[in-house]
Amino acid sequence: AIAVEKAKFNLDRGVQVLRLNDSVGNMSVMSPQHWREFVAPRLRAFCDEVHDYCRAARVYCHICGNVLPIVEDLVETGLDCIGPLDPLGGFTPQDVRQRVGDAVSLMGGVNTLSFVESSAEEIREEAQSCIAQAGPGGFVLGSGCVVPRTAALPNLIALREASEASAR
């Protein structure tokens, strides 16, 4: 109820993209069965209420780790976007796209550690690979989780340039 009221508050002020945080039930801390029992119904209720309140609202979640065991369930909750797609969870944007089609947008894909361990050219190549793997449907290129504070500025610029190049 608190999350819905916060969402309505933001929607009333023109914010139309809403993020649900706290990993909404990471598979590293709970089983898919427990996620379906305890998280999915509340996530579905949130999405339903927010979309009923404002059809233009777009809801995405932050869920780290391997989402493949529940990826179809995430779509059924009414989310508009699933992210971040974290390659440290052992999957690729292509793995998710093959399972959900264009039912939702996807976000993320670039290994978080790459921002501190890779060169700008390697980031550019990884980003281009993520874009290609995401295929048709909405895709927001980004880090598999957070961008580390120690990320090299050239790597961030390379990510942006890869995104801009794909938009052309």
Side-chain angles (χ1 to χ4, degrees):
I2 292 169
V4 168
E5 289 308 311
K6 286 173 70 175
K8 289 178 180 179
F9 174 88
N10 285 302
L11 290 165
D12 288 344
R13 280 144 188 85
V15 175
Q16 291 185 323
V17 178
L18 305 171
R19 174 184 174 177
L20 290 172
N21 205 0
D22 299 330
S23 291
V24 295
N26 185 318
M27 294 299 94
S28 298
V29 297
M30 69 172 37
S31 70
Q33 295 77 17
H34 282 124
W35 186 90
R36 289 181 186 107
E37 181 179 350
F38 296 106
V39 178
R42 286 151 188 86
L43 185 56
R44 186 175 302 111
F46 175 86
C47 289
D48 287 348
E49 194 159 346
V50 165
H51 287 127
D52 285 347
Y53 188 77
C54 177
R55 290 279 171 220
R58 296 294 173 254
V59 179
Y60 77 97
C61 67
H62 181 101
I63 183 166
C64 293
N66 184 358
V67 297
L68 290 180
I70 59 164
V71 73
E72 290 91 349
D73 301 291
L74 285 165
V75 173
E76 290 177 16
T77 65
L79 287 168
D80 298 293
C81 183
I82 299 171
L85 302 180
D86 186 355
L88 293 172
F91 64 96
T92 67
Q94 183 176 14
D95 296 330
V96 176
R97 183 63 77 199
Q98 287 175 338
R99 293 179 71 172
V100 303
D102 62 359
V104 296
S105 294
L106 305 177
M107 180 187 305
V110 176
N111 187 324
T112 301
L113 298 177
S114 294
F115 290 96
V116 293
E117 297 177 351
S118 299
S119 69
E121 186 54 37
E122 290 168 324
I123 288 283
R124 192 174 289 103
E125 290 170 9
E126 187 175 348
Q128 290 167 341
S129 175
C130 288
I131 292 165
Q133 289 177 34
F139 180 63
V140 179
L141 178 65
S143 175
C145 191
V146 299
V147 175
R149 290 181 184 165
T150 58
L153 182 58
N155 288 354
L156 300 176
I157 292 169
L159 183 75
R160 186 194 73 218
E161 289 171 351
S163 177
E164 290 170 346
S166 74
R168 289 184 215 133

